[in-house]
Amino acid sequence: MIYDVIVVGSGIAGLMAAIEAKDENNKVALISKSNVFKSNSSMASGGINAVLDINNTDEINKHIQDTFNSAKGLGNKKAITYMCKQASTIIEKLIEYGVDFDRDENNKILQRPFGGGSSNRTCYVGDKTGSAITLSLIKKARTIGITFLPNNFILNLAKYQDRVSGVVSLNKETSQVMIYSSKSVVLAGGGYAGIYRGYSTNAPDYTGDLLAVALRAGLCLKDMEFVQFHPTGFVKTNYLVTEAARGEGGYLVNSEGNRFIDELETRDKVARAILKEQLEGKKVFIDLRHLGLEKIQQKLPSLYNAALMQSGVELSKELLEIKPVAHYTMGGVDVNMTESDLKGLFICGEMASNGVHGANRLGGNSLLEGCVFGKLAGNKAKEFSKEFEYAPIDYNTVIKDIEMIDFIFSSDTSKNFNAIRISLGKCLFEKAGIIKNEKSLTLAFDYIKYLRQISYTLHCINKEKNNNVELTAILELRNALEISEAIILSAQKRCESRGAHYREDYPETLKKFDKSFVVKELKKGFFKISFKENDLVKKIKNLFINKE
Ligand code: SIN
């Protein structure tokens, strides 16, 4: 199947990219691993940051500065400035696509405070902002003729020399390996917080699959040690208690009834403060009682219902127990704005590391980043597809993928791979989570190396080809383990504390670590980790490589 542009990922970044890439003459496909509506974007409830008046340079500069401060020395000024300046245009576009932001009696868009923000700039649709935006973008994408290809699990990129030529995917309904050829590709497959299974707001299948695909294609992963823990998730189900709950005035209290942190501090600080209380044996709760039933139901209706249904807690009368949960990953494929090292391949959204978030992301900036860089990636991919013809597909790599799937079906296994995934999540949370040290990281590394060996011996017990969930589970586990190794290697190397990365054996932030680490796969199973070269050194090296 042939398309001008293929976009992978149906979150906000992917949808925005597909919409921008489409015109009346070209063919654009949007590939997703499962149902189109299922993405982390649709679960990001609290809001999207934007200074609405494009001429208010003081406020835009404050947004830039807050984002830069939160990145703790690893922010990219160009990317941050671009994002904050684009914000009002993005909100206008979203309104045009049908997003109905909450407004006051004068029809002015309402904006709530979010952690780490020096102004109230988070626009919202109650507490379902992400799903409201996702729905409107899906509707828009459908009306302009984008082809949706759900239930496709991307196995690898198709490449020809230094160019992307399409994607190789597993059709989950038939277990057949498919090739989609295209002139350009946008990857927008989300992050890897789901690897912390049992301790994450993400669905368990957010295993960083496309980051593993990028690694195998020779690209570098950057800032992988920076995993953001959202301070407030339901204790039993990990359901997200949106930051809007604190933005609207909610308190955090411990089991002694004391508040112990400014609720609107950045997420890294609030999450650590909560964990500290818990390690001292106290429970932690969110207290919304003083807001009153009417306000809770008006501003936080989804949370109100979820608390009632999942925990039996009536928020206007009772406290809700919470815990910090892995929510977002700042690390991703190293890109310049959206451009990767492979020609014709553009990367955006949570899986890209463009330096907008650095060591820590501001709440409300993820939906904005997804929209802004999704739009840019879609435009770049469209331009590329107009300028260049299709590149050939290297069938050797496709054959390897077919053989790999046949191998997984070829025999039986005695291992319970779902149990392995659960134990991986627990290991990461306990040893490479909110607080880490050399010993815990070494233990996690050894365990992951052991699991990686096992993962290559796994087979499906059920041999049915249609909708075989075991097959996908095995592939996800392998990807999750590759990404886990990249997280741990990076965390081991960063012998300091910065943003979301906290090492109790190195609690200070050190100047010598004012740089990102990048991870590259040298050969299967062997990673190299190094400081990211600055662009000048990279350019000079490329000059020599091109001359040889
Ligand atoms: C939330 O509503 O707290 C999630 C939104 C975000 O992560 O920015």
Side-chain angles (χ1 to χ4, degrees), residues 379-440:
N379 266 315
K380 292 267 175 197
K382 178 165 70 182
E383 279 168 24
F384 190 93
S385 72
K386 302 242 176 271
E387 201 173 326
F388 296 94
E389 260 316 315
Y390 291 95
I393 302 278
D394 176 359
Y395 281 90
N396 288 320
T397 55
V398 183
I399 288 167
K400 278 193 194 140
D401 280 331
I402 296 173
E403 287 171 348
M404 188 250 309
I405 300 297
D406 286 348
F407 175 76
I408 295 177
F409 275 113
S410 71
S411 186
D412 284 318
T413 198
S414 58
K415 308 276 185 321
N416 177 340
F417 33 82
N418 275 320
I420 298 178
R421 291 181 73 194
I422 291 168
S423 113
L424 171 66
K426 187 166 181 316
C427 162
L428 285 175
F429 181 77
E430 287 173 356
K431 301 189 170 58
I434 299 172
I435 297 178
K436 330 169 211 289
N437 60 48
E438 186 56 44
K439 186 164 171 232
S440 71

Side-chain angles (χ1 to χ4, degrees), residues 2-114:
I2 293 184
Y3 294 92
D4 292 282
V5 180
I6 284 179
V7 177
V8 187
S10 64
I12 279 172
L15 285 162
M16 202 68 165
I19 292 168
E20 285 299 311
K22 182 83 183 91
D23 65 24
E24 54 282 9
N25 303 315
N26 68 3
K27 281 173 70 182
V28 176
L30 189 138
I31 293 183
S32 57
K33 182 159 130 176
S34 48
N35 139 7
V36 193
F37 188 71
K38 185 170 173 275
S39 68
N40 274 332
S41 306
S42 54
M43 290 188 298
S45 30
I48 173 166
N49 291 340
V51 175
L52 296 174
D53 177 0
I54 202 163
N55 299 315
N56 192 342
T57 38
D58 284 352
E59 278 300 320
I60 294 174
N61 286 338
K62 277 165 77 178
H63 188 189
I64 293 170
Q65 203 51 49
D66 287 345
T67 306
F68 196 71
N69 291 346
S70 180
K72 296 283 173 225
L74 299 185
N76 178 315
K77 208 95 212 209
K78 177 178 162 198
I80 292 172
T81 307
Y82 179 79
M83 177 180 81
C84 297
K85 287 191 170 170
Q86 283 286 313
S88 61
T89 313
I90 284 294
I91 298 292
E92 278 166 24
K93 218 170 219 327
L94 293 177
I95 294 170
E96 180 195 321
Y97 294 162
V99 181
D100 192 10
F101 287 104
D102 284 12
R103 293 170 185 264
D104 68 10
E105 54 286 358
N106 301 316
N107 208 30
K108 200 167 159 286
I109 291 180
L110 287 164
Q111 291 177 289
R112 57 171 49 126
F114 248 40

Side-chain angles (χ1 to χ4, degrees), residues 43-47 114 228 230 232 240-244 246 267 327-328 361-367:
M43 290 188 298
S45 30
F114 248 40
Q228 178 169 83
H230 196 291
T232 54
L240 176 75
V241 177
T242 172
E243 190 162 319
R246 284 170 284 132
R267 288 180 180 176
H327 175 61
Y328 186 91
R361 174 175 72 78
L362 273 190
N365 268 355
S366 67
L367 293 180

Side-chain angles (χ1 to χ4, degrees), residues 372-503:
V372 169
F373 290 94
K375 180 169 176 283
L376 183 66
N379 266 315
K380 292 267 175 197
K382 178 165 70 182
E383 279 168 24
F384 190 93
S385 72
K386 302 242 176 271
E387 201 173 326
F388 296 94
E389 260 316 315
Y390 291 95
I393 302 278
D394 176 359
Y395 281 90
N396 288 320
T397 55
V398 183
I399 288 167
K400 278 193 194 140
D401 280 331
I402 296 173
E403 287 171 348
M404 188 250 309
I405 300 297
D406 286 348
F407 175 76
I408 295 177
F409 275 113
S410 71
S411 186
D412 284 318
T413 198
S414 58
K415 308 276 185 321
N416 177 340
F417 33 82
N418 275 320
I420 298 178
R421 291 181 73 194
I422 291 168
S423 113
L424 171 66
K426 187 166 181 316
C427 162
L428 285 175
F429 181 77
E430 287 173 356
K431 301 189 170 58
I434 299 172
I435 297 178
K436 330 169 211 289
N437 60 48
E438 186 56 44
K439 186 164 171 232
S440 71
L441 290 169
T442 307
L443 287 171
F445 186 79
D446 291 347
Y447 186 55
I448 277 149
K449 273 281 180 213
Y450 162 73
L451 292 183
R452 273 190 88 174
Q453 280 170 5
I454 293 183
S455 75
Y456 290 104
T457 67
L458 296 176
H459 301 279
C460 297
I461 301 162
N462 169 15
K463 307 294 180 204
E464 172 63 50
K465 294 273 165 104
N466 288 345
N467 295 309
N468 190 319
V469 289
E470 292 178 4
L471 174 60
T472 333
I474 291 172
L475 296 171
E476 284 171 351
L477 173 63
R478 289 183 181 177
N479 288 337
L481 288 165
E482 277 183 47
I483 298 307
S484 303
E485 193 169 323
I487 299 172
I488 292 167
L489 278 174
S490 311
Q492 280 179 317
K493 272 272 189 201
R494 190 168 285 284
C495 296
E496 62 151 4
S497 293
R498 181 185 295 264
H501 170 78
Y502 187 79
R503 291 273 306 249

